Amino acid sequence: MAAAASLLAQRHREHRKRHPLLPADYEDERLALVEVTAAWESEGASGAVMVEGGEVTGYLLAAPKPSAVWGPNIWVEAAGHTVREPEHIRDLYGAAAEQWVDDGRIAHYVLVPDDAELIDAWFRLAFGSQHAHAVRPVPDTPLPPARDLVVRRAARADIPVLAELDLVLPQHQGLSPVFSSGEIPTLEEAVADWEESIDDQDYATFVAEYNGQVIGSAVGCSLDKSSAHNGLAKPDNAGFLGFAAVLPSARGLGAGRALGEAVLQWSADTGYTSVVTDWRVTNLLSSRAWPRLGFRQTFHRLHRLIGH
């Protein structure tokens, strides 16, 4: 475990040269050991280790997630794999995956830092890119207001359209070329959720208006509220662009960008030093909008479905 932690700390040091907003803590082998231990102690965890000349030079650890939305799955999280030579991840996967497939776990996911050689090695294991994790610093000067749009904080009177927008994103994700299998709530469920949460001060909800009509919304909050960003992938003191959607009939007016900028400015005004977001890479809208706002991808979630 200590040797694995040393490898992980080395990987993270190199990763932070490209993304200094990522947390510095895990360059410390003692804290990297906490992450490796957590991966090892996850329920149902298994994997493989590579030893050369008596020295650990790579490891791979994965565990299943209980949610049915991921299929019969196994997950390699950010701290679940490190190799001295990228090519060796293929050997480790070959040693570990046989048991996973024998157990019926045919949906494989892995969170990989943006190391081109390591990503290439995973690609040559038939993995493809599914999801992006990204970060950017908060703006250092106030952002100008959007032209032809009014962006403001949401109010209780906005609940009907906020609920409608809650359905827009999962509906869009279910279309080509995303084909997500995520559940879509009913409009009544979305309204009830907003009735309960609209006054929650932990979340900053913005709406964009065009000609007096709300056409989009976005939500900002502390990154601590997100279960999808933790450990090595969680920058310190970060805000989170957790949701954004624009009515299909209103796309092309700049509302998505204006809403994203509103969350960036709110994050700066709140005292955060960076902002994190994530998106499905097959979502043609978000995968273009957020990089244009300055978000740089830090981790790639790759996916493989066995037997097809």
Side-chain angles (χ1 to χ4, degrees), residues 25-49:
D25 291 353
Y26 301 105
E27 294 186 13
D28 185 327
E29 294 182 14
R30 294 169 299 176
L31 295 178
L33 179 59
V34 173
E35 293 297 293
V36 176
T37 302
W40 171 249
E41 293 180 349
S42 297
E43 185 175 355
S46 63
V49 63

Side-chain angles (χ1 to χ4, degrees), residues 149 208 215-216 218 241 244-246 250 252-262 289-290 293:
L149 296 169
I215 60 171
L241 174 56
V246 176
L253 296 173
R257 182 179 185 89
L259 288 162
E261 288 180 340
W290 304 141
L293 271 185

Side-chain angles (χ1 to χ4, degrees), residues 6-287:
S6 177
L7 289 172
L8 182 61
Q10 291 173 32
R11 191 198 81 185
H12 194 60
R13 278 193 287 271
E14 290 302 312
H15 198 194
R16 289 195 68 251
K17 290 178 182 179
R18 301 187 298 279
H19 299 285
L21 290 172
L22 291 174
D25 291 353
Y26 301 105
E27 294 186 13
D28 185 327
E29 294 182 14
R30 294 169 299 176
L31 295 178
L33 179 59
V34 173
E35 293 297 293
V36 176
T37 302
W40 171 249
E41 293 180 349
S42 297
E43 185 175 355
S46 63
V49 63
M50 177 172 284
V51 180
E52 299 178 273
E55 181 183 6
V56 172
T57 59
Y59 71 92
L60 175 64
L61 290 169
K65 290 190 177 182
S67 175
V69 73
W70 305 114
N73 66 82
I74 196 82
W75 281 74
V76 184
E77 300 286 4
H81 65 110
T82 309
V83 284
R84 188 162 292 169
E85 297 292 335
E87 178 66 16
H88 289 166
I89 199 66
R90 287 161 35 94
D91 300 277
L92 287 163
Y93 178 79
E98 182 176 8
Q99 183 62 53
W100 301 339
V101 175
D102 285 347
D103 291 342
R105 301 194 178 280
I106 60 171
H108 297 180
Y109 301 85
V110 57
L111 200 59
V112 184
D114 69 329
D115 179 309
E117 289 187 66
L118 188 57
I119 291 170
D120 176 69
W122 280 105
F123 275 12
R124 288 183 289 112
L125 287 165
F127 280 78
S129 183
Q130 184 189 57
H131 204 84
H133 294 238
V135 66
R136 59 150 289 169
V138 296
D140 52 12
T141 57
L143 295 171
R147 294 180 58 186
D148 303 321
L149 296 169
V150 173
V151 178
R152 59 171 174 80
R153 294 291 287 267
R156 185 164 289 274
D158 298 314
I159 286 177
V161 69
L162 288 171
E164 183 181 353
L165 286 160
D166 267 5
L167 275 59
V168 165
L169 181 57
Q171 287 170 344
H172 178 73
Q173 300 272 56
L175 301 176
S176 181
V178 184
F179 300 116
S180 170
S181 61
E183 294 184 4
I184 300 175
T186 66
L187 185 61
E188 292 75 16
E189 288 171 336
V191 168
D193 184 60
W194 276 111
E195 290 282 359
E196 183 178 344
S197 63
I198 187 69
D199 297 319
D200 190 338
Q201 296 301 304
D202 288 339
Y203 296 87
T205 302
F206 296 89
V207 295
E209 291 182 341
Y210 180 73
N211 288 338
Q213 298 296 314
V214 172
I215 60 171
S217 67
V219 178
C221 61
S222 167
L223 188 58
D224 291 337
K225 297 292 184 180
S226 171
S227 61
H229 300 268
N230 48 61
L232 287 80
K234 183 182 178 183
D236 297 325
N237 190 36
F240 182 45
L241 174 56
F243 175 87
V246 176
L247 295 174
S249 60
R251 289 173 187 154
L253 296 173
R257 182 179 185 89
L259 288 162
E261 288 180 340
V263 173
L264 291 176
Q265 189 62 58
W266 169 82
S267 297
D269 294 343
T270 303
Y272 296 116
T273 53
S274 66
V275 183
V276 166
T277 196
D278 57 88
W279 62 85
R280 283 291 179 98
V281 298
T282 43
N283 183 332
L284 304 184
L285 300 177
S286 57
S287 66

